């Protein structure tokens, strides 16, 4: 039985159906990548999981029992943590202050020592390398900022962590750092849902790939054994009319060649 299971999830905004009968499952110690073109419903699904949007229909099961997620705080209590693409970090605050913002340790007054010790514990879980936790976030690289955001998500000891485009706009070295973090999360027993456009990153860390197209499930694949072309075809819908596409493209090439000979 999967730790988190979604069945028949639908969500509409007025006349626009963002999600229609979507299913998804993820277990602890597993990385599931959700891929799809713009408008496929990925962001809406993330917001359903994080409690930002309530689904119009469908069921969500967590550890074998049906649950509702009426808000982000409820998702956090349930054991689902989300790291959004914008990371929601305060650049003027240091690493410790960002990790504990809104969750400060203060039996009588702020316990700076306990928060620093806990900060290093969280970072060690990820095998993360930061020179100091007293450094302002503004001075960190993109990969280091992602590290802080992921470490913050571990504060409540979640079972499932949702990462929204974790490697977007990162360089090669920083991307490698983040992919290593995802591997570490899996090794530590967390289930990871990774939203991504980058097929190389998906194949590097994911166990399964779930494709969304126009708000619906359009295939589930083994990330390591399935050719990238098959996954891309499911994303673009090319498998629905592959012969027609090939025919039109061939005709276009032939017309260009004939035009060039005249």
């Amino acid at each position: 039985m999967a730790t988190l299971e979604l069945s028949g999830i639908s969500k509409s905004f007025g006349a626009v159906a963002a999600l229609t009968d979507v299913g998804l499952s993820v277990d602890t110690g597993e990385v599931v990548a959700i891929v799809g073109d713009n408008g496929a419903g990925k962001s809406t699904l993330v917001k359903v999981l994080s409690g930002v949007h309530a689904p119009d229909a469908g069921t969500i099961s967590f550890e074998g029992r049906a649950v509702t997620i009426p808000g982000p705080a409820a998702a956090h209590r349930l054991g689902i943590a989300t790291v959004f693409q914008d990371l929601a970090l305060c650049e003027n605050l240091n690493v410790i202050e960002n990790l504990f913002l809104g969750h400060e340790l203060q039996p009588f007054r702020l316990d700076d020592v306990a928060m620093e010790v806990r900060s290093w514990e969280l970072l060690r879980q990820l095998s993360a390398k930061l020179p100091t936790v007293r450094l302002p976030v503004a001075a960190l690289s993109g990969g280091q900022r992602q590290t802080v955001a992921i470490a913050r998500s571990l504060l409540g000891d979640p079972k499932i962590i949702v990462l929204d485009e974790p490697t977007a706009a990162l360089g090669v070295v920083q991307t490698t750092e983040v992919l290593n973090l995802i591997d570490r999360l899996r090794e530590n027993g967390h289930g990871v849902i990774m939203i991504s456009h980058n097929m190389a990153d998906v194949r590097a860390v994911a166990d399964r790939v779930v494709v969304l197209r126009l708000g619906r499930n359009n295939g589930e694949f083994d990330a390591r054994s399935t050719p990238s072309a098959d996954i891309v075809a499911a994303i673009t819908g090319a498998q629905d009319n592959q012969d027609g596409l090939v025919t039109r493209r061939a005709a276009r090439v032939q017309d260009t060649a004939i035009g060039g000979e005249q």
Side-chain angles (χ1 to χ4, degrees), residues 180-257:
N180 288 339
L181 293 179
I182 295 172
D183 274 334
R184 201 76 61 242
L185 290 172
R186 173 171 45 207
E187 291 168 5
N188 291 341
H190 298 283
V192 179
I193 298 174
M194 173 185 174
I195 313 297
S196 182
H197 279 91
N198 191 308
M199 195 56 59
D201 294 349
V202 166
R203 294 179 70 85
V205 295
D207 299 300
R208 288 187 290 123
V209 180
V210 173
V211 176
L212 292 184
R213 175 167 166 76
L214 303 177
R216 297 175 180 270
N217 288 105
N218 202 39
E220 182 175 312
F221 306 91
D222 184 286
R224 290 179 170 81
S225 63
T226 305
S228 294
D230 292 355
I231 300 175
V232 172
I235 293 171
T236 61
Q239 82 275 28
D240 298 334
N241 190 24
Q242 194 165 10
D243 293 339
L245 288 171
V246 171
T247 301
R248 288 197 298 274
R249 189 167 295 135
R252 190 182 308 144
V253 171
Q254 185 176 7
D255 289 345
T256 302

Side-chain angles (χ1 to χ4, degrees), residues 16-37:
V16 178
L19 297 173
T20 305
D21 198 29
V22 169
L24 173 71
S25 66
V26 59
D27 211 343
T28 52
E30 180 183 33
V31 178
V32 177
I34 300 178
V35 300
D37 210 345

Side-chain angles (χ1 to χ4, degrees), residues 79-216:
I80 301 174
T82 303
V83 180
F84 290 99
Q85 189 172 350
D86 64 4
L87 303 184
L89 298 175
C90 296
E91 295 195 349
N92 60 314
L93 302 181
N94 65 31
V95 173
I96 299 173
E97 292 164 339
N98 269 281
L99 288 177
F100 286 92
L101 189 61
H103 302 279
E104 292 83 358
L105 302 181
Q106 46 179 4
F108 302 105
R109 60 192 177 93
L110 287 180
D111 194 338
D112 289 335
V113 173
M115 288 192 293
E116 181 167 357
V117 170
R118 181 62 175 144
S119 296
W120 283 117
E121 288 175 353
L122 292 171
L123 293 169
R124 275 196 294 271
Q125 286 183 38
L126 300 171
S127 299
K129 297 178 181 178
L130 291 180
T132 172
V133 289
R134 297 287 179 180
L135 202 63
V137 163
L140 301 180
S141 69
Q144 290 171 329
R145 294 183 189 203
Q146 189 70 245
T147 298
V148 174
I150 293 174
R152 183 180 57 190
S153 74
L154 297 177
L155 265 180
D157 194 24
K159 299 285 196 306
I160 303 294
I161 299 175
V162 183
L163 303 177
D164 187 10
E165 298 285 358
T167 60
L170 295 183
V172 174
V173 174
Q174 296 172 351
T175 294
T176 301
E177 292 176 4
V178 173
L179 295 180
N180 288 339
L181 293 179
I182 295 172
D183 274 334
R184 201 76 61 242
L185 290 172
R186 173 171 45 207
E187 291 168 5
N188 291 341
H190 298 283
V192 179
I193 298 174
M194 173 185 174
I195 313 297
S196 182
H197 279 91
N198 191 308
M199 195 56 59
D201 294 349
V202 166
R203 294 179 70 85
V205 295
D207 299 300
R208 288 187 290 123
V209 180
V210 173
V211 176
L212 292 184
R213 175 167 166 76
L214 303 177
R216 297 175 180 270

Side-chain angles (χ1 to χ4, degrees), residues 38-59:
N38 292 333
K42 304 187 301 299
S43 295
T44 302
L45 185 59
V46 168
K47 290 175 181 176
V48 167
L49 288 169
S50 60
V52 175
H53 292 322
D56 298 329
T59 59

